[in-house]
Amino acid sequence: MKQNKYDDKIFFEKYSKMDRSVKGLAGAGEWETLQRLLPDFKDKRVLDLGCGFGWHCQYAIENGAKSVTGVDISEKMLTVAKQKTENKICYIHSPIEDISFNKNSFDAVISSLAFHYLESFEKITEKVSDCLVQGGDFVFSVEHPVFTAYGNQDWYYDENGNILHFPVDNYFFEGQRTAGFLGEKVIKYHKTLTTYLNGLIQGGFEVTNVVEPQPSAHLLQAVEGMSDELRRPMMLIISAKKNRLTS
Ligand SMILES: C[S@@+](CC[C@H](N)C(=O)[O-])C[C@H]1O[C@@H](n2cnc3c(N)ncnc32)[C@H](O)[C@@H]1O
């Protein structure tokens, strides 16, 4: 079943208070890294899967995209997106799993931190390949497989509350996990690194870059506890190009 956690009142209120929700891209620790991997949007038709508040849609429009379409399962997220961003962005209220665009509808498909909510990466690549032009760009971030493997997404602490280590277990058992996020229980789907990389290669994409983002020197200095983010990867960002036609 497709989870729509972002329409849950309490979760939505908590998510709306996060830095990345208040400050937009500037409040997203991985943005500088993701930005470097994004293609030139000039005159491109761009699709953003799991667009949330529409920050990346807005960025694409501001950087010359011909058209931008954002898809999200959450009505609450899209309502805010429509208020915050330019009205020439087309927002579609739909699960990513159900999208169905004509062939060659888009020159670039992007997605930020949404695919770990979806069970099958293979089906995503099929959908993306279906609507992307040959040579088109596919760039996305997800929670890192090391971060999603165990499930609860919390450190192990000693009796004084000091971090001991981050648990990684059941790595090769893909599938549903119940994670703690913002003090709420959220369903996510663990996938291995192989699933992401081979999923792209077997789906007709050429992988052009893989990055495990680390906090910038500025964040390491400015935010207390940020150096713990160097103890395990939290995100994975991949860029790819559609390099052959699929049936
Ligand atoms: C962590 S937020 C990221 C939002 C935005 N991409 C960003 O980076 O600011 C995840 C988003 O994915 C959306 N989402 C989760 N599962 C989805 C699904 N099955 N179909 C479409 N959107 C989904 C959520 O509603 C939420 O807006």
mmCIF file of all heavy atoms in Angstrom, residues 146-186:
data_model
loop_
_atom_site.group_PDB
_atom_site.id
_atom_site.type_symbol
_atom_site.label_atom_id
_atom_site.label_comp_id
_atom_site.label_asym_id
_atom_site.label_seq_id
_atom_site.Cartn_x
_atom_site.Cartn_y
_atom_site.Cartn_z
ATOM 1 N N VAL A 146 23.136 2.174 3.696
ATOM 2 C CA VAL A 146 23.686 1.962 5.047
ATOM 3 C C VAL A 146 22.739 2.570 6.089
ATOM 4 O O VAL A 146 22.587 2.050 7.196
ATOM 5 C CB VAL A 146 25.104 2.591 5.154
ATOM 6 C CG1 VAL A 146 25.540 2.777 6.604
ATOM 7 C CG2 VAL A 146 26.115 1.728 4.407
ATOM 8 N N PHE A 147 22.093 3.635 5.724
ATOM 9 C CA PHE A 147 21.187 4.329 6.643
ATOM 10 C C PHE A 147 19.840 3.624 6.750
ATOM 11 O O PHE A 147 19.187 3.654 7.787
ATOM 12 C CB PHE A 147 21.002 5.771 6.146
ATOM 13 C CG PHE A 147 20.302 6.686 7.111
ATOM 14 C CD1 PHE A 147 20.876 7.002 8.336
ATOM 15 C CD2 PHE A 147 19.066 7.246 6.806
ATOM 16 C CE1 PHE A 147 20.236 7.843 9.236
ATOM 17 C CE2 PHE A 147 18.421 8.089 7.698
ATOM 18 C CZ PHE A 147 19.006 8.388 8.918
ATOM 19 N N THR A 148 19.423 2.974 5.665
ATOM 20 C CA THR A 148 18.088 2.355 5.671
ATOM 21 C C THR A 148 18.099 0.889 6.102
ATOM 22 O O THR A 148 17.044 0.329 6.389
ATOM 23 C CB THR A 148 17.418 2.432 4.274
ATOM 24 O OG1 THR A 148 18.274 1.798 3.297
ATOM 25 C CG2 THR A 148 17.127 3.873 3.871
ATOM 26 N N ALA A 149 19.311 0.244 6.119
ATOM 27 C CA ALA A 149 19.365 -1.216 6.282
ATOM 28 C C ALA A 149 18.711 -1.709 7.573
ATOM 29 O O ALA A 149 17.822 -2.570 7.549
ATOM 30 C CB ALA A 149 20.817 -1.684 6.229
ATOM 31 N N TYR A 150 19.135 -1.183 8.686
ATOM 32 C CA TYR A 150 18.651 -1.718 9.971
ATOM 33 C C TYR A 150 17.191 -1.364 10.200
ATOM 34 O O TYR A 150 16.382 -2.186 10.626
ATOM 35 C CB TYR A 150 19.523 -1.197 11.116
ATOM 36 C CG TYR A 150 19.132 -1.757 12.457
ATOM 37 C CD1 TYR A 150 19.236 -3.122 12.720
ATOM 38 C CD2 TYR A 150 18.645 -0.921 13.470
ATOM 39 C CE1 TYR A 150 18.871 -3.635 13.945
ATOM 40 C CE2 TYR A 150 18.286 -1.439 14.700
ATOM 41 C CZ TYR A 150 18.394 -2.803 14.936
ATOM 42 O OH TYR A 150 18.025 -3.313 16.151
ATOM 43 N N GLY A 151 16.875 -0.112 9.931
ATOM 44 C CA GLY A 151 15.459 0.239 9.961
ATOM 45 C C GLY A 151 15.090 1.411 10.832
ATOM 46 O O GLY A 151 14.433 2.330 10.375
ATOM 47 N N ASN A 152 15.520 1.390 12.099
ATOM 48 C CA ASN A 152 15.004 2.449 12.990
ATOM 49 C C ASN A 152 15.696 3.795 12.780
ATOM 50 O O ASN A 152 15.213 4.828 13.205
ATOM 51 C CB ASN A 152 15.064 2.015 14.464
ATOM 52 C CG ASN A 152 16.489 1.950 14.982
ATOM 53 O OD1 ASN A 152 17.443 1.961 14.211
ATOM 54 N ND2 ASN A 152 16.630 1.880 16.296
ATOM 55 N N GLN A 153 16.847 3.772 12.114
ATOM 56 C CA GLN A 153 17.575 4.991 11.749
ATOM 57 C C GLN A 153 17.980 5.819 12.953
ATOM 58 O O GLN A 153 17.899 7.045 12.938
ATOM 59 C CB GLN A 153 16.757 5.826 10.747
ATOM 60 C CG GLN A 153 16.409 5.024 9.496
ATOM 61 C CD GLN A 153 15.889 5.857 8.360
ATOM 62 O OE1 GLN A 153 15.172 6.824 8.579
ATOM 63 N NE2 GLN A 153 16.214 5.480 7.131
ATOM 64 N N ASP A 154 18.432 5.121 13.995
ATOM 65 C CA ASP A 154 18.952 5.846 15.157
ATOM 66 C C ASP A 154 20.274 5.216 15.575
ATOM 67 O O ASP A 154 20.536 4.048 15.305
ATOM 68 C CB ASP A 154 17.929 5.790 16.312
ATOM 69 C CG ASP A 154 18.190 6.867 17.362
ATOM 70 O OD1 ASP A 154 19.107 7.704 17.164
ATOM 71 O OD2 ASP A 154 17.472 6.873 18.369
ATOM 72 N N TRP A 155 21.080 5.993 16.260
ATOM 73 C CA TRP A 155 22.355 5.515 16.782
ATOM 74 C C TRP A 155 22.110 4.565 17.956
ATOM 75 O O TRP A 155 21.018 4.546 18.528
ATOM 76 C CB TRP A 155 23.168 6.698 17.303
ATOM 77 C CG TRP A 155 23.488 7.741 16.275
ATOM 78 C CD1 TRP A 155 22.776 8.854 15.992
ATOM 79 C CD2 TRP A 155 24.616 7.760 15.404
ATOM 80 N NE1 TRP A 155 23.386 9.580 14.996
ATOM 81 C CE2 TRP A 155 24.522 8.925 14.619
ATOM 82 C CE3 TRP A 155 25.713 6.908 15.205
ATOM 83 C CZ2 TRP A 155 25.467 9.269 13.655
ATOM 84 C CZ3 TRP A 155 26.653 7.243 14.251
ATOM 85 C CH2 TRP A 155 26.532 8.406 13.480
ATOM 86 N N TYR A 156 23.157 3.838 18.312
ATOM 87 C CA TYR A 156 23.189 3.159 19.602
ATOM 88 C C TYR A 156 23.897 4.090 20.581
ATOM 89 O O TYR A 156 24.913 4.689 20.220
ATOM 90 C CB TYR A 156 23.941 1.822 19.477
ATOM 91 C CG TYR A 156 23.009 0.679 19.183
ATOM 92 C CD1 TYR A 156 22.288 0.666 17.999
ATOM 93 C CD2 TYR A 156 22.855 -0.375 20.088
ATOM 94 C CE1 TYR A 156 21.420 -0.374 17.717
ATOM 95 C CE2 TYR A 156 21.981 -1.419 19.806
ATOM 96 C CZ TYR A 156 21.270 -1.409 18.624
ATOM 97 O OH TYR A 156 20.411 -2.433 18.336
ATOM 98 N N TYR A 157 23.348 4.205 21.793
ATOM 99 C CA TYR A 157 23.895 5.131 22.783
ATOM 100 C C TYR A 157 24.365 4.371 24.014
ATOM 101 O O TYR A 157 23.839 3.292 24.317
ATOM 102 C CB TYR A 157 22.810 6.127 23.227
ATOM 103 C CG TYR A 157 22.222 6.945 22.093
ATOM 104 C CD1 TYR A 157 21.088 6.504 21.406
ATOM 105 C CD2 TYR A 157 22.793 8.161 21.723
ATOM 106 C CE1 TYR A 157 20.544 7.255 20.372
ATOM 107 C CE2 TYR A 157 22.252 8.916 20.685
ATOM 108 C CZ TYR A 157 21.125 8.455 20.016
ATOM 109 O OH TYR A 157 20.593 9.196 18.992
ATOM 110 N N ASP A 158 25.309 4.949 24.749
ATOM 111 C CA ASP A 158 25.670 4.359 26.044
ATOM 112 C C ASP A 158 24.699 4.856 27.120
ATOM 113 O O ASP A 158 23.776 5.625 26.816
ATOM 114 C CB ASP A 158 27.145 4.638 26.409
ATOM 115 C CG ASP A 158 27.405 6.115 26.696
ATOM 116 O OD1 ASP A 158 26.434 6.878 26.897
ATOM 117 O OD2 ASP A 158 28.591 6.501 26.720
ATOM 118 N N GLU A 159 24.925 4.429 28.352
ATOM 119 C CA GLU A 159 23.966 4.762 29.420
ATOM 120 C C GLU A 159 23.901 6.267 29.714
ATOM 121 O O GLU A 159 22.950 6.757 30.307
ATOM 122 C CB GLU A 159 24.256 3.951 30.711
ATOM 123 C CG GLU A 159 25.584 4.185 31.366
ATOM 124 C CD GLU A 159 26.713 3.346 30.723
ATOM 125 O OE1 GLU A 159 26.529 2.754 29.640
ATOM 126 O OE2 GLU A 159 27.782 3.313 31.340
ATOM 127 N N ASN A 160 24.931 7.004 29.224
ATOM 128 C CA ASN A 160 24.913 8.461 29.435
ATOM 129 C C ASN A 160 24.386 9.216 28.217
ATOM 130 O O ASN A 160 24.467 10.443 28.165
ATOM 131 C CB ASN A 160 26.324 8.961 29.766
ATOM 132 C CG ASN A 160 26.839 8.318 31.024
ATOM 133 O OD1 ASN A 160 26.101 8.244 32.008
ATOM 134 N ND2 ASN A 160 28.064 7.829 30.994
ATOM 135 N N GLY A 161 23.916 8.472 27.252
ATOM 136 C CA GLY A 161 23.342 9.123 26.069
ATOM 137 C C GLY A 161 24.368 9.497 25.010
ATOM 138 O O GLY A 161 24.056 10.214 24.053
ATOM 139 N N ASN A 162 25.624 9.018 25.170
ATOM 140 C CA ASN A 162 26.640 9.296 24.140
ATOM 141 C C ASN A 162 26.522 8.289 22.999
ATOM 142 O O ASN A 162 26.256 7.107 23.242
ATOM 143 C CB ASN A 162 28.057 9.189 24.734
ATOM 144 C CG ASN A 162 28.225 10.124 25.900
ATOM 145 O OD1 ASN A 162 27.957 11.320 25.791
ATOM 146 N ND2 ASN A 162 28.635 9.582 27.040
ATOM 147 N N ILE A 163 26.751 8.770 21.790
ATOM 148 C CA ILE A 163 26.670 7.878 20.632
ATOM 149 C C ILE A 163 27.765 6.827 20.688
ATOM 150 O O ILE A 163 28.933 7.146 20.920
ATOM 151 C CB ILE A 163 26.807 8.697 19.320
ATOM 152 C CG1 ILE A 163 25.555 9.546 19.102
ATOM 153 C CG2 ILE A 163 27.074 7.783 18.141
ATOM 154 C CD1 ILE A 163 25.657 10.472 17.910
ATOM 155 N N LEU A 164 27.379 5.562 20.478
ATOM 156 C CA LEU A 164 28.366 4.489 20.389
ATOM 157 C C LEU A 164 28.650 4.157 18.923
ATOM 158 O O LEU A 164 29.768 4.182 18.475
ATOM 159 C CB LEU A 164 27.845 3.235 21.104
ATOM 160 C CG LEU A 164 27.717 3.332 22.627
ATOM 161 C CD1 LEU A 164 27.035 2.097 23.183
ATOM 162 C CD2 LEU A 164 29.109 3.500 23.241
ATOM 163 N N HIS A 165 27.596 3.837 18.196
ATOM 164 C CA HIS A 165 27.763 3.494 16.775
ATOM 165 C C HIS A 165 26.393 3.484 16.101
ATOM 166 O O HIS A 165 25.353 3.555 16.773
ATOM 167 C CB HIS A 165 28.436 2.121 16.621
ATOM 168 C CG HIS A 165 27.738 1.037 17.367
ATOM 169 N ND1 HIS A 165 28.150 0.606 18.610
ATOM 170 C CD2 HIS A 165 26.638 0.316 17.075
ATOM 171 C CE1 HIS A 165 27.337 -0.335 19.035
ATOM 172 N NE2 HIS A 165 26.400 -0.520 18.135
ATOM 173 N N PHE A 166 26.418 3.375 14.763
ATOM 174 C CA PHE A 166 25.164 3.320 14.000
ATOM 175 C C PHE A 166 24.941 1.879 13.539
ATOM 176 O O PHE A 166 25.854 1.264 12.985
ATOM 177 C CB PHE A 166 25.244 4.253 12.781
ATOM 178 C CG PHE A 166 23.921 4.424 12.102
ATOM 179 C CD1 PHE A 166 23.002 5.357 12.578
ATOM 180 C CD2 PHE A 166 23.561 3.641 11.004
ATOM 181 C CE1 PHE A 166 21.762 5.510 11.973
ATOM 182 C CE2 PHE A 166 22.328 3.791 10.397
ATOM 183 C CZ PHE A 166 21.430 4.726 10.882
ATOM 184 N N PRO A 167 23.760 1.331 13.768
ATOM 185 C CA PRO A 167 23.557 -0.075 13.425
ATOM 186 C C PRO A 167 23.318 -0.297 11.923
ATOM 187 O O PRO A 167 22.541 0.429 11.300
ATOM 188 C CB PRO A 167 22.286 -0.444 14.205
ATOM 189 C CG PRO A 167 21.538 0.837 14.339
ATOM 190 C CD PRO A 167 22.557 1.939 14.378
ATOM 191 N N VAL A 168 24.049 -1.275 11.382
ATOM 192 C CA VAL A 168 23.777 -1.746 10.014
ATOM 193 C C VAL A 168 23.540 -3.239 10.125
ATOM 194 O O VAL A 168 24.398 -3.969 10.625
ATOM 195 C CB VAL A 168 24.970 -1.480 9.062
ATOM 196 C CG1 VAL A 168 24.683 -2.051 7.672
ATOM 197 C CG2 VAL A 168 25.274 0.006 8.981
ATOM 198 N N ASP A 169 22.370 -3.680 9.706
ATOM 199 C CA ASP A 169 22.049 -5.103 9.826
ATOM 200 C C ASP A 169 21.038 -5.452 8.729
ATOM 201 O O ASP A 169 20.393 -4.558 8.171
ATOM 202 C CB ASP A 169 21.455 -5.382 11.216
ATOM 203 C CG ASP A 169 21.555 -6.853 11.604
ATOM 204 O OD1 ASP A 169 22.030 -7.657 10.771
ATOM 205 O OD2 ASP A 169 21.139 -7.191 12.727
ATOM 206 N N ASN A 170 20.944 -6.726 8.432
ATOM 207 C CA ASN A 170 19.975 -7.199 7.431
ATOM 208 C C ASN A 170 20.112 -6.472 6.104
ATOM 209 O O ASN A 170 19.126 -6.226 5.406
ATOM 210 C CB ASN A 170 18.541 -7.036 7.955
ATOM 211 C CG ASN A 170 18.262 -7.999 9.090
ATOM 212 O OD1 ASN A 170 18.734 -9.139 9.065
ATOM 213 N ND2 ASN A 170 17.523 -7.546 10.084
ATOM 214 N N TYR A 171 21.363 -6.138 5.770
ATOM 215 C CA TYR A 171 21.604 -5.331 4.573
ATOM 216 C C TYR A 171 21.018 -5.975 3.311
ATOM 217 O O TYR A 171 20.445 -5.286 2.467
ATOM 218 C CB TYR A 171 23.114 -5.111 4.402
ATOM 219 C CG TYR A 171 23.438 -4.266 3.194
ATOM 220 C CD1 TYR A 171 23.350 -2.882 3.250
ATOM 221 C CD2 TYR A 171 23.785 -4.856 1.970
ATOM 222 C CE1 TYR A 171 23.615 -2.097 2.142
ATOM 223 C CE2 TYR A 171 24.050 -4.079 0.859
ATOM 224 C CZ TYR A 171 23.969 -2.701 0.945
ATOM 225 O OH TYR A 171 24.226 -1.935 -0.159
ATOM 226 N N PHE A 172 21.176 -7.293 3.188
ATOM 227 C CA PHE A 172 20.730 -7.937 1.945
ATOM 228 C C PHE A 172 19.255 -8.327 1.953
ATOM 229 O O PHE A 172 18.769 -8.916 1.003
ATOM 230 C CB PHE A 172 21.633 -9.132 1.610
ATOM 231 C CG PHE A 172 23.012 -8.671 1.197
ATOM 232 C CD1 PHE A 172 24.105 -8.872 2.011
ATOM 233 C CD2 PHE A 172 23.200 -7.977 0.003
ATOM 234 C CE1 PHE A 172 25.360 -8.410 1.648
ATOM 235 C CE2 PHE A 172 24.448 -7.508 -0.380
ATOM 236 C CZ PHE A 172 25.528 -7.724 0.449
ATOM 237 N N PHE A 173 18.580 -8.012 3.041
ATOM 238 C CA PHE A 173 17.127 -8.245 3.084
ATOM 239 C C PHE A 173 16.427 -6.938 2.733
ATOM 240 O O PHE A 173 16.198 -6.093 3.599
ATOM 241 C CB PHE A 173 16.689 -8.743 4.466
ATOM 242 C CG PHE A 173 17.262 -10.083 4.817
ATOM 243 C CD1 PHE A 173 18.433 -10.182 5.558
ATOM 244 C CD2 PHE A 173 16.644 -11.253 4.378
ATOM 245 C CE1 PHE A 173 18.971 -11.413 5.877
ATOM 246 C CE2 PHE A 173 17.184 -12.492 4.694
ATOM 247 C CZ PHE A 173 18.349 -12.578 5.439
ATOM 248 N N GLU A 174 16.112 -6.786 1.465
ATOM 249 C CA GLU A 174 15.468 -5.540 1.039
ATOM 250 C C GLU A 174 14.012 -5.523 1.488
ATOM 251 O O GLU A 174 13.418 -6.545 1.780
ATOM 252 C CB GLU A 174 15.524 -5.440 -0.487
ATOM 253 C CG GLU A 174 16.941 -5.322 -1.010
ATOM 254 C CD GLU A 174 16.976 -4.845 -2.438
ATOM 255 O OE1 GLU A 174 16.169 -5.335 -3.258
ATOM 256 O OE2 GLU A 174 17.811 -3.970 -2.740
ATOM 257 N N GLY A 175 13.458 -4.358 1.533
ATOM 258 C CA GLY A 175 12.024 -4.274 1.803
ATOM 259 C C GLY A 175 11.688 -3.281 2.889
ATOM 260 O O GLY A 175 12.463 -2.392 3.232
ATOM 261 N N GLN A 176 10.502 -3.484 3.418
ATOM 262 C CA GLN A 176 9.904 -2.505 4.328
ATOM 263 C C GLN A 176 10.636 -2.403 5.681
ATOM 264 O O GLN A 176 11.051 -3.404 6.242
ATOM 265 C CB GLN A 176 8.446 -2.897 4.559
ATOM 266 C CG GLN A 176 7.654 -1.853 5.306
ATOM 267 C CD GLN A 176 6.173 -2.187 5.312
ATOM 268 O OE1 GLN A 176 5.601 -2.586 4.297
ATOM 269 N NE2 GLN A 176 5.542 -2.035 6.448
ATOM 270 N N ARG A 177 10.775 -1.174 6.136
ATOM 271 C CA ARG A 177 11.321 -0.896 7.460
ATOM 272 C C ARG A 177 10.418 0.134 8.130
ATOM 273 O O ARG A 177 9.798 0.946 7.456
ATOM 274 C CB ARG A 177 12.728 -0.281 7.385
ATOM 275 C CG ARG A 177 13.745 -1.074 6.588
ATOM 276 C CD ARG A 177 14.192 -2.317 7.353
ATOM 277 N NE ARG A 177 15.389 -2.928 6.779
ATOM 278 C CZ ARG A 177 15.377 -3.884 5.852
ATOM 279 N NH1 ARG A 177 14.245 -4.358 5.380
ATOM 280 N NH2 ARG A 177 16.518 -4.394 5.414
ATOM 281 N N THR A 178 10.409 0.122 9.463
ATOM 282 C CA THR A 178 9.707 1.179 10.186
ATOM 283 C C THR A 178 10.753 2.072 10.828
ATOM 284 O O THR A 178 11.467 1.657 11.738
ATOM 285 C CB THR A 178 8.773 0.588 11.265
ATOM 286 O OG1 THR A 178 7.866 -0.308 10.607
ATOM 287 C CG2 THR A 178 7.958 1.686 11.945
ATOM 288 N N ALA A 179 10.851 3.283 10.300
ATOM 289 C CA ALA A 179 11.878 4.209 10.769
ATOM 290 C C ALA A 179 11.269 5.219 11.728
ATOM 291 O O ALA A 179 10.073 5.530 11.655
ATOM 292 C CB ALA A 179 12.491 4.942 9.580
ATOM 293 N N GLY A 180 12.112 5.757 12.610
ATOM 294 C CA GLY A 180 11.695 6.885 13.447
ATOM 295 C C GLY A 180 12.157 8.165 12.764
ATOM 296 O O GLY A 180 13.338 8.319 12.471
ATOM 297 N N PHE A 181 11.235 9.042 12.467
ATOM 298 C CA PHE A 181 11.588 10.304 11.811
ATOM 299 C C PHE A 181 10.707 11.383 12.422
ATOM 300 O O PHE A 181 9.482 11.259 12.408
ATOM 301 C CB PHE A 181 11.353 10.168 10.285
ATOM 302 C CG PHE A 181 11.687 11.395 9.465
ATOM 303 C CD1 PHE A 181 12.659 12.303 9.874
ATOM 304 C CD2 PHE A 181 11.032 11.628 8.266
ATOM 305 C CE1 PHE A 181 12.957 13.418 9.098
ATOM 306 C CE2 PHE A 181 11.323 12.746 7.497
ATOM 307 C CZ PHE A 181 12.290 13.645 7.922
ATOM 308 N N LEU A 182 11.340 12.390 13.017
ATOM 309 C CA LEU A 182 10.623 13.481 13.681
ATOM 310 C C LEU A 182 9.723 12.952 14.805
ATOM 311 O O LEU A 182 8.618 13.465 15.027
ATOM 312 C CB LEU A 182 9.788 14.277 12.659
ATOM 313 C CG LEU A 182 10.580 14.930 11.523
ATOM 314 C CD1 LEU A 182 9.630 15.477 10.449
ATOM 315 C CD2 LEU A 182 11.481 16.024 12.044
ATOM 316 N N GLY A 183 10.182 11.886 15.432
ATOM 317 C CA GLY A 183 9.417 11.322 16.547
ATOM 318 C C GLY A 183 8.186 10.539 16.109
ATOM 319 O O GLY A 183 7.371 10.144 16.942
ATOM 320 N N GLU A 184 8.070 10.293 14.812
ATOM 321 C CA GLU A 184 6.912 9.553 14.274
ATOM 322 C C GLU A 184 7.406 8.263 13.627
ATOM 323 O O GLU A 184 8.575 8.161 13.226
ATOM 324 C CB GLU A 184 6.209 10.405 13.197
ATOM 325 C CG GLU A 184 5.725 11.753 13.676
ATOM 326 C CD GLU A 184 4.541 11.639 14.624
ATOM 327 O OE1 GLU A 184 3.604 10.896 14.320
ATOM 328 O OE2 GLU A 184 4.584 12.287 15.686
ATOM 329 N N LYS A 185 6.499 7.318 13.462
ATOM 330 C CA LYS A 185 6.847 6.073 12.764
ATOM 331 C C LYS A 185 6.543 6.259 11.277
ATOM 332 O O LYS A 185 5.422 6.638 10.908
ATOM 333 C CB LYS A 185 6.022 4.912 13.312
ATOM 334 C CG LYS A 185 6.492 4.448 14.664
ATOM 335 C CD LYS A 185 5.973 3.036 14.955
ATOM 336 C CE LYS A 185 6.743 2.360 16.047
ATOM 337 N NZ LYS A 185 6.394 2.780 17.383
ATOM 338 N N VAL A 186 7.540 5.988 10.439
ATOM 339 C CA VAL A 186 7.385 6.190 8.998
ATOM 340 C C VAL A 186 7.852 4.934 8.275
ATOM 341 O O VAL A 186 8.916 4.395 8.583
ATOM 342 C CB VAL A 186 8.238 7.401 8.515
ATOM 343 C CG1 VAL A 186 7.999 7.675 7.040
ATOM 344 C CG2 VAL A 186 7.933 8.642 9.334
#
